Amino acid sequence: MNPALPWILPLGCVLLLATTAQCFVLTNSSHLERILSKYQDGEAHSRSKRAILFSDRQEILMLHNKLRGQVYPSASNMEYMTWDEELERSAHSWAQKCVWDHGPSDLIRSIGQNLAVHWGRYRSPAFHVQSWYDEVKDYTYPYPHECNPWCPDKCTGSMCTHYTQIVWATTNRIGCAVNVCKRMNVWGEIWENAVYLVCNYSPKGNWIGEAPYKNGRPCSECPPSYGGGCQNNLCYKDYRYEDTFITETDETNEVETPQISEQKPVWFHPPENKPSKPVKPKKTSPETYMTQVITCETKMRDKCRGSTCNRYLCPAGCLYSKGKIFGTFYYESSSSICRAAIHYGILDNKGGLVDITRKGRTPAFVKSTRNGVESFRKSKPSNAFMVSKVTTQTLDCYTTVAELCQFKKPATHCPRIYCPAHCKDEPSYWAPVFGTNIYADSSSICKSAVHAGVIRDEEGGFVDVMPVEKKKMYVGSLKNGVQSERLTNPSDGNAFRIFAVKQ
């Protein structure tokens, strides 16, 4: 450094492919060398490393999906984004050219692309992704009534297309690459050791005259291919387990190469044959179900005993059975559950699921004929119940009972839940599990179901959930590959029990 200019510090700048720039102070050259070593391996265009660090890849993908799931106004058709190896390779090829422009021209017609470059102080790829998204401050979403037939472009800043590409609903694949360019021409200035980020998207977005997504309730307008799956406001199916594990090749980062120790043969000596006592098989506790299978004549007072008295499966053909019912709206406890459900309009003659809610003593019951079923009058006070419809809802791995159906007196009915496969390995800070057998309602429902053993992690499936009052303490345990956490004297929230469903 020139001693005559002790006040000058080396500067670094960050640019997106836009008209904005941010500048940073670089403290010393050795720090720069450490930064560059993250992206280069000593030889230009070497293939001994992947196009991008695996950790950066995960960070980019996770941030894209997080940002896509929190758009405002909300999106009804926003799709979950996955990583694409072909897009990564095409991004790597373009990043190696160190050209500060979109390209190549033959490919750019069929993909979307966001670019960023910086030099100086280290910036993670996620920093640039967030900068692209932050263009939202200059963007106004075009509502359907404004699109006649084409939507207006409402961008008050220099550029909004980085943001709109990130949140383009039908863009569901991404691949990025990072390259260090020894010399790069950035808008007429030569930058040395510029860190260049290229992200390619497919299918491409930013079509003129179209809104980036449809406004509405999240996941209410997902393409049929998603099968009704929804995760964090995104149309979702289990992509992670369709994507095969990345085989480590000569293109893989050295730090990612698994160290496999040499396996030495171990000699096994069988024990001497000695008479031994026969081992009695352990008794397995019968699997418990919240839903009880009943007949058309089953009375509420005969079956409704215990805490699981609220969900029943009625057979077909109850419309013309002999089971009597007493009352209208409120039904007396000696009434047929299934025929009360038909009378009220919850079920038809095909049968199905019904929930009941006990209402305590009611002074009298009024007769009526509804939906082909005649009810009778009873003037004596007696215990009563109500019937309600059971819905089925598909959840992601993160939904909790506190979000879905909190405990309330006299009763709270949750929908029958369909859980996706592979919730076991979701991190506990996103999908916690508190307790054993009875779980705090801040727990992930589907991960708790795996812990309880009512579904298999590799398959997923239906479960029934019953909200209950909170406990003073929830005991942690390791069951079925899931470690639940201990929770003592929770200040708020309640609890739930979880049950298997007969298929």
Side-chain angles (χ1 to χ4, degrees), residues 322-446:
K322 297 179 180 180
K324 291 184 177 181
I325 61 171
F326 301 88
T328 300
F329 189 67
Y330 285 178
Y331 299 96
E332 198 265 340
S333 61
S334 62
S335 300
S336 157
I337 295 173
C338 297
R339 284 176 56 79
I342 296 175
H343 181 268
Y344 192 79
I346 298 300
L347 298 181
D348 56 21
N349 201 37
K350 296 178 182 177
L353 289 171
V354 59
D355 278 338
I356 70 167
T357 304
R358 286 175 283 191
K359 304 303 293 185
R361 292 185 71 80
T362 300
F365 300 87
V366 181
K367 72 175 183 177
S368 65
T369 300
R370 300 179 59 186
N371 302 309
V373 176
E374 181 184 9
S375 70
F376 295 91
R377 176 182 178 183
K378 183 171 281 193
S379 56
K380 293 182 179 180
S382 183
N383 290 328
F385 68 95
M386 292 181 64
V387 294
S388 57
K389 186 177 180 62
V390 179
T391 59
T392 300
Q393 188 167 342
T394 299
L395 301 186
D396 56 31
C397 296
Y398 315 108
T399 307
T400 66
V401 168
E403 297 169 337
L404 185 69
C405 50
Q406 296 178 353
F407 172 79
K408 295 175 184 177
K409 290 184 177 180
T412 305
H413 299 300
C414 291
R416 172 159 286 183
I417 293 162
Y418 183 79
C419 288
H422 307 297
C423 287
K424 181 181 75 174
D425 296 325
E426 292 294 344
S428 58
Y429 51 84
W430 282 344
V433 177
F434 300 101
T436 300
N437 299 326
I438 296 180
Y439 301 91
D441 66 4
S442 56
S443 305
S444 156
I445 296 173
C446 294

Side-chain angles (χ1 to χ4, degrees), residues 163-184:
Y163 163 74
T164 52
Q165 178 60 83
I166 286 178
V167 301
W168 203 269
T170 55
T171 297
N172 53 32
R173 299 193 302 279
I174 184 175
C176 303
V178 175
N179 183 45
V180 177
C181 300
K182 292 184 177 180
R183 289 174 60 83
M184 187 171 180

Side-chain angles (χ1 to χ4, degrees), residues 10 29 65 200 204 254 278 312 335 361 382 388 400 440 448:
S29 60
N65 282 319
N200 288 343
K204 72 179 299 181
E254 293 175 1
Y312 298 93
S335 300
R361 292 185 71 80
S382 183
S388 57
T400 66
S448 298

Side-chain angles (χ1 to χ4, degrees), residues 290 429 477:
M290 185 175 82
Y429 51 84
S477 64

